Amino acid sequence: MKRIAIICIVALLLTSAGYLFIYSNHFQVEIRIEFIIALILAAMLCGLLYIMSLDRRQIKALKKETELTKEIKESRDHLKNLLETANDLIYTVDINGCFTYINPMIKDYGYTPAELLGKPFLTILTEKHRGKRFEKSIGEKVPQIYNAEIRKKDGVIRICRISVSPLMDQDGNVTGLFATVRDRTEHEQTKANLKYLKEYSEKIIASIPSSLLVLDRNLNIKLVNRTYRETRGTGDNDVVGKNIKEVFPGDLLKEGGLLKTIDEVVETGETRRLYEVKHVSSDHPKKILNITVSGIRRAEEEEEEEDIILVIEDVTERARLVEEIQEKNKELESFVYTISHDLRAPIVSVQGFSSILLSDFQDKLDDTGKRYLTRIQANVRQMEILIDDLLEFSRIGRIAGTFEDVPPTEIIRDILNVLGPQLKKRGIKVNVQSSLPVIHCERIRIYQVFENLIQNSVKYMGDTESPVIEVGCKEVDGFHEFYVKDNGIGIDPEYHQRIFQIFQRLKEVDSEGTGVGLAIVERIAEVYGGSVRVESERGKGATFYFTVPEKEPGIRDRK
């Protein structure tokens, strides 16, 4: 600009001089030198002022350009800082799909930016992605958001949300794509798990054989399961949204205690159960129901309301069967007593007549006759024992005695006192654990268990040198596990289950017994909620275990 201004000034001066020369020659006028000099100076002054004006504008433009350059640099630095420190992976690609920029977050996927720059972006995607979305963004110039699988350098697949926007030049032509990548693997897995749990829960609710209803705090029905619909012959629209007071009859809500129970659950947050609630309605015959009421909070916040869950189990048929079984048990009990009486009558007669023959006709009997009568009396006594054992076996679980805290040590001491002579004769030593736990049970039943097991060990001790019986207990998963261990002849594993069946005995030892003792032990353990088992091998002794719950046991089929 300065050069142009100077040229213009010089041209102006030359033009002025030419006009002056022409003017003086044409008009024959004498022009003084001072006037010419003044005119030249004036022209130079005007030119200088014009040049200065140009300098100021240029300086201002240069200053503005410098500031603009600085702002651009600061913006670029700020943008770079944002890209470099972003928590998401950010990259750009050209129109061929090759990386032109990658921020440091690529390290989370096992790569460095230098490894991937210039390579196709499909390098880090799984085979599922063939670049169709890329082509759409390039061709249609539209942003897109979608999930994609990114394969890390170590082969691990991550599920990511990719947001893509086209990059365009001043003419509106697409030059590439800008993409941000956020790892959503855990989110998607959680989402999938929640979906699975929801479907799983819905299937469980649908398959529950009992009727299930979900109520809000105002007792409006929110949900019913398939069993309820099928039982009542209704659809969701018939009951959902209605208040339970509109659906359930008054005898069930008030007399049955359901409303009161719901209030207790809301107040305490504890589950409540109603057993054998009788319900009669015009469209349903007499029913007997077990109802469980519980609350479930929909959020952790205290102010969040609870939903109320009702599980209604129709036990009418079960109650009828129980009643029938009770009647059958009474009949069976009467039958057993009748049979025992009928069996005892001839046994007593045989016993009496054989005793009379031995006492009154002793001189008329030879040794063979006396021996036969003696065997008859022994068999009669064995028959009496068998009848008593069968009667006792039939009573277990049907006739409940008094429950009390029983120290097993006392029970075992009484049994050893009874068996003392037999133990002393055979030289059997019995070791009893010093601290056996007290259990709440029927004394007579636990006595029967220990008596049968200890007698069984004595019976099958054989000719073992230094015979020993050990009695102890240990705690196993909420149960007291008592054991009676011996070093006798042992039991082949083939018979471990069979020996607990009634009338089953081992043939290895010729001993008295009815084959009912271990069956009694198993029956008592079962009705107390425990179990019995044996560990043994032939010739290596046997250990019998029986368990009772640590908490107070109850007879399961007392009814």
Side-chain angles (χ1 to χ4, degrees):
M1 292 294 293
K2 284 184 179 181
R3 289 180 181 178
I4 295 172
I6 292 170
I7 292 171
C8 290
I9 291 170
V10 172
L12 179 60
L13 291 174
L14 292 174
T15 303
S16 300
Y19 275 118
L20 288 173
F21 178 76
I22 294 170
Y23 180 78
S24 61
N25 288 332
H26 181 72
F27 294 100
Q28 300 297 316
V29 178
E30 183 180 351
I31 299 174
R32 297 179 61 183
I33 190 65
E34 291 87 353
F35 177 75
I36 296 172
I37 292 173
L39 181 61
I40 292 172
L41 288 175
M44 291 179 64
L45 180 60
C46 291
L48 181 61
L49 291 174
Y50 178 71
I51 291 172
M52 289 178 66
S53 174
L54 288 178
D55 285 342
R56 281 197 302 270
R57 279 183 286 178
Q58 187 175 9
I59 290 170
K60 187 176 180 180
L62 288 173
K63 184 178 180 182
K64 188 174 181 180
E65 184 179 350
T66 302
E67 291 175 352
L68 184 59
T69 302
K70 182 179 179 182
E71 288 178 4
I72 292 172
K73 184 178 182 303
E74 289 176 352
S75 297
R76 286 179 175 175
D77 291 343
H78 181 65
L79 178 60
K80 182 179 180 181
N81 186 53
L82 289 175
L83 294 176
E84 299 290 307
T85 59
N87 291 325
D88 296 331
L89 170 62
I90 299 174
Y91 66 83
T92 59
V93 295
D94 58 22
I95 57 174
N96 296 315
C98 296
F99 287 112
T100 56
Y101 170 80
I102 309 174
N103 76 339
M105 288 305 295
I106 193 66
K107 69 179 186 301
D108 289 350
Y109 300 87
Y111 299 97
T112 62
E115 289 181 85
L116 296 176
L117 285 175
K119 293 183 179 179
F121 76 97
L122 292 176
T123 303
I124 63 173
L125 300 183
T126 63
E127 290 76 8
K128 283 186 178 181
H129 309 284
R130 300 297 181 183
K132 291 183 179 180
R133 294 183 180 273
F134 170 80
E135 294 171 359
K136 181 176 180 180
S137 293
I138 292 292
E140 300 180 14
K141 302 179 182 180
V142 292
Q144 295 186 82
I145 298 176
Y146 57 91
N147 283 354
E149 292 181 353
I150 291 183
R151 180 184 286 107
K152 296 175 63 176
K153 193 173 182 178
D154 58 8
V156 175
I157 304 298
R158 305 295 292 180
I159 301 172
C160 300
R161 174 64 61 86
I162 301 180
S163 177
V164 178
S165 299
L167 297 174
M168 292 181 282
D169 59 19
Q170 293 179 349
D171 298 327
N173 298 317
V174 176
T175 59
L177 296 179
F178 176 88
T180 60
V181 180
R182 177 163 295 180
D183 192 331
R184 291 169 57 88
T185 306
E186 285 72 23
H187 173 83
E188 293 297 327
Q189 288 175 347
T190 302
K191 185 177 176 182
N193 289 338
L194 288 175
K195 182 180 178 183
Y196 168 78
L197 289 174
K198 183 175 183 294
E199 293 175 353
Y200 185 72
S201 301
E202 289 174 350
K203 289 180 181 178
I204 290 177
I205 291 173
S207 63
I208 290 175
S210 303
S211 295
L212 182 144
L213 300 91
V214 179
L215 317 176
D216 63 18
R217 196 67 173 270
N218 297 318
L219 305 187
N220 296 315
I221 299 173
K222 299 175 63 176
L223 178 147
V224 295
N225 72 338
R226 182 175 61 192
T227 303
Y228 178 87
R229 295 192 299 270
E230 293 175 351
T231 303
R232 302 286 298 180
T234 61
D236 282 344
N237 296 333
D238 297 328
V239 292
V240 172
K242 293 184 178 180
N243 194 279
I244 192 175
K245 296 176 183 178
E246 302 175 41
V247 179
F248 280 36
D251 68 321
L252 186 60
L253 294 172
K254 296 179 180 178
E255 291 84 350
L258 182 56
L259 287 179
K260 180 182 177 182
T261 302
I262 290 175
D263 290 340
E264 291 176 357
V265 170
V266 171
E267 182 178 351
T268 64
E270 299 176 354
T271 298
R272 293 283 191 271
R273 292 178 176 85
L274 298 172
Y275 293 101
E276 297 186 356
V277 179
K278 294 181 180 179
H279 164 51
V280 181
S281 63
S282 58
D283 57 339
H284 286 83
K286 178 181 177 181
K287 288 188 175 295
I288 300 175
L289 309 173
N290 288 346
I291 304 175
T292 301
V293 184
S294 56
I296 181 169
R297 190 172 294 279
R298 284 178 277 128
E300 295 296 328
E301 293 79 3
E302 288 293 327
E303 64 273 9
E304 186 67 37
E305 293 184 352
E306 286 184 334
D307 285 338
I308 299 163
I309 299 177
L310 301 183
V311 178
I312 304 174
E313 182 183 10
D314 188 342
V315 294
T316 308
E317 183 65 17
R318 185 193 305 172
R320 184 186 66 79
L321 292 174
V322 169
E323 188 175 349
E324 286 185 6
I325 290 172
Q326 289 174 345
E327 291 298 323
K328 295 294 182 183
N329 281 338
K330 290 178 182 179
E331 293 176 8
L332 179 61
E333 186 176 347
S334 176
F335 173 77
V336 169
Y337 275 106
T338 301
I339 291 298
S340 65
H341 179 270
D342 292 345
L343 287 175
R344 284 182 190 277
I347 288 173
V348 170
S349 297
V350 171
Q351 180 73 23
F353 284 122
S354 63
S355 298
I356 290 172
L357 287 172
L358 283 173
S359 60
D360 295 349
F361 297 92
Q362 191 173 18
D363 56 338
K364 295 182 180 181
L365 294 171
D366 58 12
D367 291 340
T368 302
K370 292 177 183 178
R371 187 171 69 254
Y372 285 163
L373 286 173
T374 302
R375 290 182 62 183
I376 289 173
Q377 288 187 321
N379 287 333
V380 167
R381 285 194 295 271
Q382 184 69 11
M383 178 63 74
E384 288 180 331
I385 294 172
L386 177 59
I387 291 173
D388 289 338
D389 284 348
L390 287 173
L391 281 171
E392 196 59 43
F393 184 77
S394 70
R395 291 191 182 104
I396 297 171
R398 292 190 303 106
I399 302 175
T402 303
F403 274 67
E404 57 182 308
D405 290 334
V406 178
T409 305
E410 293 181 5
I411 298 289
I412 296 169
R413 185 180 63 238
D414 294 342
I415 294 170
L416 295 181
N417 287 337
V418 173
L419 298 177
Q422 189 177 358
L423 296 170
K424 185 176 180 180
K425 180 180 178 181
R426 300 188 59 180
I428 299 174
K429 183 179 179 180
V430 180
N431 298 323
V432 182
Q433 185 177 312
S434 59
S435 57
L436 294 176
V438 174
I439 54 177
H440 192 77
C441 62
E442 299 167 289
R443 179 179 288 267
I444 183 61
R445 298 303 180 206
I446 294 302
Y447 186 98
Q448 288 175 307
V449 170
F450 281 109
E451 180 186 38
N452 279 299
L453 292 180
I454 293 174
Q455 281 185 340
N456 194 73
S457 291
V458 173
K459 188 186 302 182
Y460 294 99
M461 186 61 72
D463 299 327
T464 304
E465 295 183 5
S466 303
V468 178
I469 297 174
E470 296 180 14
V471 182
C473 180
K474 55 186 178 180
E475 310 305 316
V476 179
D477 297 331
F479 285 83
H480 299 301
E481 185 177 67
F482 293 91
Y483 62 87
V484 177
K485 181 180 181 181
D486 64 65
N487 58 347
I489 63 173
I491 305 170
D492 193 297
E494 179 183 354
Y495 301 106
H496 282 186
Q497 298 299 323
R498 185 176 175 184
I499 57 175
F500 292 105
Q501 299 174 9
I502 196 166
F503 302 136
Q504 296 296 322
R505 299 171 54 197
L506 293 177
K507 306 299 183 183
E508 284 83 350
V509 177
D510 184 17
S511 61
E512 294 182 356
T514 61
V516 181
L518 290 179
I520 288 176
V521 171
E522 183 179 49
R523 178 64 177 153
I524 292 172
E526 285 179 350
V527 298
Y528 277 9
S531 61
V532 64
R533 62 188 174 90
V534 63
E535 291 181 359
S536 178
E537 293 182 25
R538 184 187 294 273
K540 295 184 180 180
T543 304
F544 284 84
Y545 298 90
F546 75 94
T547 62
V548 293
E550 290 181 3
K551 295 182 179 180
E552 181 176 326
I555 295 182
R556 293 187 301 181
D557 52 353
R558 184 178 293 181
K559 290 184 179 181

